[in-house]
Amino acid sequence: MFEDLQKERNLTYLFIAHDLSVVNHISSRIGVMYLGHMVEMAEASELIFHSLHPYTRSLISAIPIADPKIARENKRIILEGDVPSPVNPPSGCPFRTRCPYADEQCAAQKPQFKEVTSGHYCACHHLDKLN
């Protein structure tokens, strides 16, 4: 229904969900937020197949796979660490308390949300470690 209305009326949606498989189905571009901060944004297929941010990668790893053989081979990324309070967020990068790459720079400074490749944006100090 959403797709039909979108085509018929030339609509743009802001579709908010936690299930990236549903978001991927309905969206042409996807933005991923953590604690109210945009951490990654790209065309849907680019984000699903070439994600950069550790939080995005964790969300994508949680997408159910219908094929049992492929599902068994899928490496789920389980986030560890403390879930911060949105009322009292951590200093610097909002994801740093759960990020395996976090260091002193992450605690001291919030990363810039910047274009990494054409149309693909990410906010992380450690993009060199993620590629």
Side-chain angles (χ1 to χ4, degrees):
M1 178 180 79
F2 283 129
E3 290 172 317
D4 292 341
L5 284 171
Q6 189 175 28
K7 289 175 188 171
E8 290 171 16
R9 308 223 178 193
N10 196 27
L11 296 174
T12 298
Y13 292 115
L14 175 59
F15 185 76
I16 301 171
H18 288 97
D19 185 339
L20 277 184
S21 63
V22 172
V23 173
N24 182 40
H25 180 72
I26 196 170
S27 305
S28 57
R29 289 184 63 73
I30 298 174
V32 175
M33 297 181 77
Y34 186 80
L35 278 186
H37 299 273
M38 190 73 73
V39 295
E40 190 165 5
M41 183 173 62
E43 294 295 321
S45 62
E46 170 72 11
L47 189 105
I48 296 297
F49 295 110
H50 304 287
S51 60
L52 300 171
H53 197 277
Y55 181 59
T56 305
R57 288 181 175 177
S58 175
L59 290 176
I60 291 169
S61 79
I63 295 173
I65 299 171
D67 184 321
K69 184 178 180 184
I70 295 172
R72 279 191 295 275
E73 295 170 2
N74 186 36
K75 293 182 180 160
R76 177 80 199 276
I77 301 169
I78 306 295
L79 295 176
E80 297 181 5
D82 298 326
V83 178
S85 165
V87 176
N88 187 22
S91 63
C93 178
F95 186 63
R96 74 176 174 81
T97 61
R98 304 185 77 193
C99 183
Y101 305 102
D103 62 12
E104 298 81 25
Q105 181 184 17
C106 302
Q109 182 182 26
K110 182 180 174 188
Q112 288 186 327
F113 188 66
K114 61 184 176 186
E115 191 170 27
V116 179
T117 60
S118 182
H120 194 149
Y121 297 82
C122 189
C124 184
H125 292 301
H126 302 293
L127 289 173
D128 57 319
K129 296 177 186 175
L130 301 171
N131 291 327

